[in-house]
Amino acid sequence: MATTQFRIIGGKPLHGQVRCEGAKNAALPIMAAALLASEPVHLQNVPQLTDIATQSKLLRRLGLAVSIERTCEKPLEMTLETMDAQPVVAPESCVRQMRASFCVLGPLLARRRKAVVPLPGGCRIGDRPVDLHWKGLAALGADLRLEHGCVVAEARRLTGATIELSGPRGPSVTGTANVMSAAVLARGVTILRDAALEPEIVDLGCFLTALGAKIEGLGTSTLRIEGVEQLGGARHRLIPDRIEAATLLLAAAITRGSATVLDVRPDHLQTVLEKLRAAGAAVDVGADRVSIAATGPVQPASVIAEPFPGLPTDVQAQWTALMSLADGTCTVQDLVFSGRFSHVAELNRLGACIACRDDIATINGVPRLEGTSVAASDLRASAALVLAGLAADGPTTVEHIHHLDRGYQRLDEKLRRLGAQIERIGLPVESAL
Ligand code: UD1
């Protein structure tokens, strides 16, 4: 089957300015948490992505009316409202497509007292267990079992508890989202230790607070949640997507260009910006914009992908692409997803010189990459291949762009606005929201 692909003629420095969309990883758990609300929820700055379409479809199947207001050139506004509070079974087709749909588990359980959610699919980036979600909900008093590949969770009323949520690789982002979203309606106080610190979790906490939840400690590793009887509705603006912003800045850096990314939260990007400076780029930060200018050679800058505030694992592949052109040797380690290196073989096809061992890639920088045909295998790996294609000499084809469309709103259009020669071949980006 022919898949959507990007054809890129690389070697041209990018210049100009683009805006950053709302954060996918904030939108998805917040949309799921709309199941908790007893009045309408209005979300602003919603990105137009296939993952958002998947989550909308899932929530409609769970009895929510999801309506979308599209105003030309402006981000989407979305209204979610419960029409039928009976459904508790999440359809397998949606959950298998996207791991974040597992975030309906906590809200369904808390509000409807039962949830049947298939074990998730999503990007193939190694072993992705859900034991922490399970442990947290069980500690709140839920009865959980696995039946025919589905998690079945039931509870007459959840009860607050003290829960340690850290696993062998640190806190879980969507695990924190699930347990926090359930605890807001539990009887009594929940103390969540080793909670994820990611800005998307803070955004979810702000949204829940706007609904009427009582949460203290957002942005720290210990959350104190006092359960309430009922939540109302809210109007909430999603935070900017720090991963999209980082990808656009790295696109400018890898082409030795300059760009300004507007509508960002620089405080969410600190480690990425520090590392870009270490790689030789000039970075200038405004209140809600970041500008980058990269002229000299790429300096080798080793990174370790870690939970926030460390370098995000979702930027690891793009960083590896940038370092493939470094003037020297460096390493990229991923402490969050040790097996997340599927992009390395494809980068090597473009002429990079990268060797992987365990969770570390050792990169011997090369002076140039050469265009060829490469295939994306997950969302951020595809972004890395697009960046490498922008820097490579001659034409590059990146196959399986449906992975990229899950998390980047029309990346090809944004890159063209910055002067890239990039063309989409095949299906237009799905906008079946
Ligand atoms: C979220 C993000 C994803 C990002 C990741 C890490 C969303 C929708 N997705 O994914 O883009 O790459 O955080 O920043 O927000 N783990 C366990 N047990 C569990 C759950 C996770 O051991 O029950 C492990 C994982 O295998 C991994 C680490 O914990 O090694 C972190 O995973 P987690 O934070 O849960 O990732 P996601 O929430 O799935």
Side-chain angles (χ1 to χ4, degrees):
M1 190 184 78
T3 67
T4 306
Q5 44 177 245
F6 280 175
R7 291 210 188 134
I8 304 168
I9 310 288
K12 204 174 159 213
L14 303 187
H15 293 288
Q17 63 180 38
V18 275
R19 101 163 259 289
C20 178
E21 309 300 330
K24 167 181 90 73
N25 285 352
L28 297 172
I30 287 175
M31 287 171 70
L35 285 162
L36 295 164
S38 51
E39 286 166 41
V41 161
H42 301 283
L43 299 181
Q44 297 173 312
N45 206 25
V46 179
Q48 204 167 325
L49 303 169
T50 52
D51 271 8
I52 298 291
T54 305
Q55 194 77 327
S56 304
K57 192 168 145 198
L58 168 63
L59 292 170
R60 287 185 181 117
R61 297 279 293 273
L62 290 171
L64 263 59
V66 182
S67 58
I68 304 211
E69 200 180 308
R70 221 177 297 246
T71 30
C72 199
E73 286 298 306
K74 283 210 185 130
L76 300 180
E77 294 205 4
M78 179 181 274
T79 304
L80 304 105
E81 186 176 4
T82 300
M83 293 293 151
D84 176 6
Q86 296 303 315
V88 293
V89 182
E92 174 152 8
S93 54
C94 300
V95 185
R96 299 291 294 170
Q97 265 178 53
M98 184 183 72
R99 187 178 166 84
S101 49
F102 199 66
C103 287
V104 298
L105 180 64
L108 274 181
L109 176 65
R111 186 83 203 287
R112 302 187 186 176
R113 301 181 197 277
K114 181 168 182 183
V116 181
V117 185
L119 285 171
C123 274
R124 289 183 212 296
I125 47 177
D127 186 25
R128 294 181 81 174
V130 292
D131 57 305
L132 297 171
H133 303 240
W134 184 294
K135 177 184 161 187
L137 297 175
L140 293 175
D143 171 37
L144 294 109
R145 56 191 188 276
L146 199 58
E147 271 180 21
H148 306 291
C150 293
V151 176
V152 181
E154 288 179 272
R156 285 175 66 83
R157 172 94 200 255
L158 298 171
T159 309
T162 296
I163 308 169
E164 309 273 341
L165 213 57
S166 187
R169 295 194 162 256
S172 164
V173 176
T174 49
T176 303
N178 249 332
V179 180
M180 176 163 77
S181 301
V184 292
L185 285 183
R187 191 189 306 122
V189 173
T190 297
I191 306 290
L192 210 54
R193 295 198 209 286
D194 290 317
L197 308 179
E198 269 64 11
E200 294 76 16
I201 290 296
V202 176
D203 205 31
L204 170 63
C206 292
F207 168 71
L208 292 169
T209 304
L211 289 181
K214 292 187 178 161
I215 308 174
E216 287 170 19
L218 284 170
T220 74
S221 58
T222 303
L223 301 178
R224 183 184 184 279
I225 303 167
E226 199 180 321
V228 296
E229 284 294 322
Q230 198 182 338
L231 296 169
R235 179 174 289 276
H236 179 79
R237 185 177 175 81
L238 298 169
I239 55 167
D241 195 314
R242 61 197 170 102
I243 309 300
E244 187 203 18
T247 304
L248 291 165
L249 293 169
L250 265 80
I254 201 170
T255 61
R256 320 313 293 145
S258 63
T260 295
V261 185
L262 304 168
D263 294 348
V264 299
R265 283 278 302 261
D267 55 325
H268 294 168
L269 285 162
Q270 271 181 14
T271 308
V272 172
L273 302 184
E274 258 168 45
K275 287 294 171 184
L276 279 167
R277 289 188 178 108
V283 175
D284 182 50
V285 174
D288 61 356
R289 59 134 190 103
V290 176
S291 300
I292 182 168
T295 42
V298 181
Q299 298 301 324
S302 294
V303 296
I304 301 176
E306 289 174 295
F308 192 80
L311 187 100
T313 173
D314 287 352
V315 178
Q316 180 263 105
Q318 302 89 310
W319 193 265
T320 304
L322 175 65
M323 287 300 119
S324 70
L325 286 165
D327 188 15
T329 299
C330 66
T331 56
V332 171
Q333 184 172 15
D334 198 323
L335 292 182
V336 181
F337 294 114
S338 54
R340 193 176 203 178
F341 286 105
S342 66
H343 45 284
V344 163
E346 299 301 288
L347 289 173
N348 285 345
R349 282 172 50 78
L350 290 163
C353 181
I354 309 170
C356 280
R357 193 160 169 209
D358 302 325
D359 58 2
I360 302 186
T362 302
I363 307 167
N364 288 306
V366 293
R368 52 194 280 276
L369 299 173
E370 275 181 21
T372 185
S373 172
V374 287
S377 53
D378 73 54
L379 166 55
R380 307 303 170 185
S382 43
L385 298 178
V386 171
L387 298 197
L390 292 172
D393 293 341
T396 294
T397 305
V398 185
E399 307 269 4
H400 306 326
I401 284 304
H402 60 279
H403 290 296
L404 187 106
D405 290 335
R406 288 186 47 199
Y408 291 94
Q409 180 174 321
R410 299 196 175 92
L411 185 64
D412 48 330
E413 282 181 25
K414 288 197 179 178
L415 293 171
R416 265 200 301 280
R417 232 172 285 150
L418 294 173
Q421 261 184 279
I422 178 168
E423 190 190 359
R424 174 183 291 266
I425 313 283
L427 293 175
V429 62
E430 183 183 301
S431 55
L433 282 168

